[in-house]
Amino acid sequence: MMATLSMSAFSVRAHARSTLNAGARNPVKATMTTRAPRLPATRARGASLVANAAFTPAGAKIAGVGMAVPAQYLTNEDLSELVDTNDEWIRTRTGIGKRHVISGDESLTSLAADASKKALEMAGVDAEDIDLILLSTSSPDDLFGSACTVQAAIGAKGALAVDLTAACSGFVVGVVNGIHFIRGGEYKNVLVIGADVLSRYVDWRDRGTCILFGDGCGAMVLTSTPNPDDCCLLGFDMHSDGTGNHNLTAKFTAEIGAETDGKSKPCAAGEAAPSGRGAFCNIGMNGQEVFKFAVRTVPDTVSKSLDKAGMTSEDIDFLVMHQANQRIIDTAAKRFGLGPEKVVSNIAKYGNTSAGSVPIAMAEAVEEGRIKEGDIVATAGFGAGLTWASAILRW
Ligand code: UT7
């Protein structure tokens, strides 16, 4: 099914054209105050809570994971036909061998729906029983978000579906959020999706970025358990620093006056220019600064999450980090004394899939029989924003 692309056959040039334009120290032991009796079971899912809403704490577990990547991919050799680069440099400096790129009818929504269906199947949860869908993405198919189109595609009729943007940290932030909704006792099944199709924003003339990014999606189903002390989230730590925002951007730009057919309304009273079409610029990245940021923040945030979980790095069975650069993964693994058998890395196959990378890595590790029930998984994301986040999960 997967086939290397000949550059002439593939739409990279088309892409280029189109894109130029747990509160307590140990959440397991956390207690929550029940202020009122539980709402009657007959209350329809999604209906508004009354003012004195009751929160009966519940536990949470990871019930299923799934992943999806586009059918077509670009090898390092393919890219060497576009820019001045080579397989040896890319593998040595990043660990990447190829990256998948959407084409044809594929979209962020279609990838997210595929991955979600697999996660639901593993969980044994019917789509109609999903209460909440959190879609972590920076590249929705629609400016207003894609969570609702994913909801429609999988038939999760009863769910609230919303997008969450925290770049490459998005999936970890989504999981922490999703688990809190379950912990509160109101939602039973939460679907968290990490998906990005950043190939839409890559400048295929920029060898500093086009070698890195790929498209892909992973999904996780979280479900409630009756015992509030039985929670898969053992500790977490999340941060952002907007003063570093300029290091990794794809900024909005207004093309005032372009392609309006003279039908658009003026921008504002008294202004002559018609409303233009908006667009987002290509990804711009200061690679060295982001690299330094990552090797500084990831060990720090994972240490804080371990501390909150009352654990040390010796308790980690698997490290599943954002797959941005093998050298960043290796640095963090070395810092925690983790050998390759404890580190999940698939960057060679997929490159940096942004919000998709952590759940894709998790789904593959589960499918390969590496991550098993009861394992302690340390996960961390970092990227644009700047944002960084980590969590200690018990599988
Ligand atoms: O999810 C978002 C998070 N993003 C990241 O985590 C990205 C973090 N940064 C990185 O992964 C690395 O900084 C890069 C992979 C982007 C770049 O690697 P680097 O080791 O920092 O390379 P560099 O920018 O310092 O460039 C070293 C040399 C330069 O040549 P000179 O000036 O030494 O002659 C570059 O022009 O490598 C050159 N170079 C390349 N050569 C061949 C840069 N890109 C390429 C390339 N192929 N693709």
Side-chain angles (χ1 to χ4, degrees):
M1 168 169 162
M2 297 175 186
T4 302
L5 301 168
S6 96
M7 293 311 296
S8 57
F10 185 58
S11 60
V12 163
R13 289 182 191 89
H15 266 289
R17 277 197 302 276
S18 63
T19 56
L20 287 176
N21 101 47
R25 182 177 164 78
N26 184 346
V28 174
K29 294 175 185 158
T31 56
M32 298 179 76
T33 308
T34 304
R35 289 180 296 178
R38 228 186 158 146
L39 287 171
T42 50
R43 190 182 67 76
R45 212 176 40 229
S48 301
L49 293 175
V50 293
N52 281 331
F55 293 98
T56 304
K61 67 172 184 180
I62 298 164
V65 283
M67 60 161 282
V69 293
Q72 306 203 69
Y73 60 81
L74 292 169
T75 64
N76 295 341
E77 286 78 14
D78 290 331
L79 290 183
S80 70
E81 292 178 27
L82 278 185
V83 290
D84 181 15
T85 191
N86 56 75
D87 181 60
E88 202 264 331
W89 191 97
I90 299 173
R91 283 187 191 273
T92 310
R93 306 303 295 172
T94 71
I96 299 169
K98 64 183 175 70
R99 68 290 292 146
H100 290 245
V101 182
I102 55 166
S103 61
D105 293 338
E106 290 171 331
S107 64
L108 182 110
T109 298
S110 72
L111 292 179
D114 282 358
S116 299
K117 284 175 190 167
K118 290 175 193 163
L120 286 165
E121 192 181 338
M122 182 184 286
V125 171
D126 196 293
E128 293 194 5
D129 292 327
I130 292 287
D131 301 297
L132 174 67
I133 297 173
L134 294 173
L135 171 60
S136 299
T137 186
S138 306
S139 47
D141 295 325
D142 188 301
L143 181 64
F144 296 122
S146 290
C148 295
T149 47
V150 175
Q151 173 197 24
I154 64 173
K157 293 176 190 160
L160 164 71
V162 290
D163 287 48
L164 184 159
T165 303
C168 306
S169 313
F171 183 75
V172 178
V173 176
V175 167
V176 171
N177 270 280
I179 290 174
H180 276 76
F181 277 103
I182 292 174
R183 294 280 284 154
E186 187 55 29
Y187 289 150
K188 285 195 164 31
N189 298 306
V190 175
L191 172 64
V192 182
I193 307 164
D196 268 308
V197 287
L198 290 183
S199 67
R200 287 173 172 166
Y201 299 102
V202 163
D203 182 345
W204 296 97
R205 303 162 304 185
D206 176 14
R207 68 178 182 172
T209 53
C210 76
I211 57 155
L212 294 176
F213 295 101
D215 302 335
C217 173
M220 176 181 280
V221 175
L222 299 160
T223 61
S224 69
T225 59
N227 181 357
D229 290 340
D230 177 20
C231 183
C232 59
L233 179 62
L234 307 181
F236 70 91
D237 180 66
M238 304 192 283
H239 301 274
S240 48
D241 176 11
T243 65
N245 180 270
H246 56 279
N247 288 310
L248 184 47
T249 59
K251 290 215 179 286
F252 173 78
T253 177
E255 297 175 348
I256 300 294
E259 299 181 44
T260 57
D261 302 331
K263 293 175 187 161
S264 309
K265 292 179 183 171
C267 297
E271 286 188 22
S275 301
R277 277 205 328 183
F280 288 92
C281 297
N282 293 129
I283 294 168
M285 183 177 75
N286 183 337
Q288 290 183 358
E289 281 306 311
V290 178
F291 191 98
K292 283 189 265 180
F293 151 76
V295 296
R296 186 179 71 247
T297 56
V298 171
D300 183 63
T301 184
V302 172
S303 294
K304 284 179 175 145
S305 284
L306 281 169
D307 195 37
K308 288 176 182 171
M311 292 179 159
T312 71
S313 56
E314 290 182 3
D315 296 307
I316 298 174
D317 292 309
F318 289 100
L319 176 67
V320 189
M321 280 173 56
H322 171 43
Q323 311 279 301
N325 187 316
Q326 187 61 44
R327 289 186 290 143
I328 297 174
I329 297 171
D330 291 344
T331 303
K334 192 172 167 196
R335 160 74 177 70
F336 292 114
L338 302 172
E341 74 286 355
K342 291 194 168 189
V343 179
V344 176
S345 171
N346 59 12
I347 190 169
K349 292 192 284 185
Y350 306 118
N352 178 345
T353 54
S354 191
S357 86
V358 167
I360 289 173
M362 286 178 172
E364 272 203 343
V366 169
E367 195 180 344
E368 290 165 2
R370 290 184 74 192
I371 295 181
K372 292 184 283 298
E373 193 173 346
D375 282 341
I376 300 299
V377 175
T379 185
F382 58 89
L386 300 172
T387 57
W388 63 106
S390 66
I392 308 300
L393 299 169
R394 193 190 57 231
W395 214 265

